[in-house]
Amino acid sequence: MRKVVLYIATSLDGYIASPDGSVEWLPTPPPGEDYGYADFLATADATLLGRATYEQVLMLGEWPYPTLTNYVFSRKPPTESPEPSVQFVSTDPVAFVTQLRQQTGGTIWLIGGSTLASPLLAAGLVDELMLFVVPRLLGAGIPLWRHQDHPQPLQLLHTQTWPDGMTLLHYRLNTAE
């Protein structure tokens, strides 16, 4: 079974974007540093994005994931995608991801946002969390965590810190399979 990994940056106070949806507060990595991004990306062959996250990525320039299969969840998808590697999905994310995990393939990268991540977490469909904690307090914005009906135990797999204060917290969720 394929695994789903929520790989995402968050401010220390738990926000993934500014109140206007911007991610301009994210730091630029030091020269030669990618915080393990290339190694992680090499394991993935699919992404999951909510519509707002997809539109935010588009605003950053050229589409960064043309070699992956990208699923964008939207209640009102456009009639066609500007990117050949993007498929819009208007069905229930839990049902869709349940089926996707059964297919052959690599890691499924849950890019975000929290509106998409919340039902997948609640359904036990997220296997790992790779949280990059940015040493900034935003005070307000789009929260990483939405309401969950029950607590979820986590198993710490790995931590790493960098000289600029960036910290990786890598957890496995103890999901029932």
Side-chain angles (χ1 to χ4, degrees):
M1 180 176 302
R2 297 168 76 179
K3 70 179 176 180
V4 175
V5 177
L6 175 58
Y7 178 101
I8 196 165
T10 180
S11 65
L12 184 59
D13 53 351
Y15 295 103
I16 57 174
S18 299
D20 64 357
S22 163
V23 293
E24 291 178 6
W25 58 273
L26 289 171
T28 301
E33 181 60 69
D34 74 351
Y35 306 116
Y37 174 77
D39 290 339
F40 172 76
L41 193 58
T43 71
D45 66 357
T47 69
L48 307 173
L49 301 91
R51 178 73 179 261
T53 301
Y54 168 73
E55 290 176 358
Q56 180 69 33
V57 171
L58 283 179
M59 289 176 28
L60 299 175
E62 186 176 327
W63 180 247
Y65 316 115
T67 61
L68 305 179
T69 303
N70 303 278
Y71 301 100
V72 177
F73 292 83
S74 176
R75 288 182 198 90
K76 296 181 182 178
T79 53
E80 73 179 56
S81 170
E83 301 296 330
S85 66
V86 172
Q87 298 176 31
F88 283 89
V89 179
S90 58
T91 59
D92 173 55
V94 169
F96 183 88
V97 173
T98 298
Q99 291 179 353
L100 184 62
R101 286 171 45 115
Q102 301 300 322
Q103 298 174 7
T104 303
T107 298
I108 302 166
W109 175 14
L110 173 53
I111 295 177
S114 57
T115 302
L116 175 60
S118 183
L120 298 178
L121 282 162
L125 294 173
V126 177
D127 301 287
E128 295 178 16
L129 302 174
M130 293 183 75
L131 305 178
F132 288 84
V133 180
V134 178
R136 295 214 173 143
L137 298 173
L138 295 183
I142 298 172
L144 171 58
W145 306 115
R146 303 287 173 156
H147 173 77
Q148 294 290 310
D149 291 332
H150 60 282
Q152 294 193 38
L154 306 173
Q155 176 187 2
L156 181 64
L157 298 176
H158 176 74
T159 62
Q160 186 170 350
T161 57
W162 287 267
D164 62 359
M166 189 74 104
T167 301
L168 165 65
L169 302 172
H170 186 177
Y171 294 99
R172 177 180 301 127
L173 280 83
N174 295 325
T175 56
E177 294 191 356

